[in-house]
Amino acid sequence: MTIRWRVAEPSGAPALLSIIDASGASAYAGALPYDAGEGRYAASLPSGTLAPGSYLVRVAVGDRQAARRLVAVQ
């Protein structure tokens, strides 16, 4: 699975990834590779990281964040 994000205004803060399952529990949380500059970034997670189901994927950099829905299938 590849997570892609864009930073329009660098904040110097780390990029944090959260994946939350349908029950609201954290399925994954961690820092993403990010050089604190403006631009487009991508990071890969192992394909077996998530069980099949519906998730909310959130990327946060400083006080800005973006979230998208993800459906994992087997």
Side-chain angles (χ1 to χ4, degrees), residues 12-37:
L16 303 174
L17 171 67
S18 305
I19 302 177
I20 302 155
D21 69 17
S23 71
S26 176
Y28 181 88
L32 292 168
Y34 164 63
D35 67 10

Side-chain angles (χ1 to χ4, degrees), residues 44-71:
S44 295
L45 296 176
S47 60
T49 302
L50 301 175
S54 184
Y55 297 88
L56 178 70
V57 178
R58 184 178 311 150
V59 175
V61 178
D63 63 347
R64 299 196 178 252
Q65 64 179 353
R68 298 288 184 269
R69 185 170 165 248
L70 167 75
V71 176

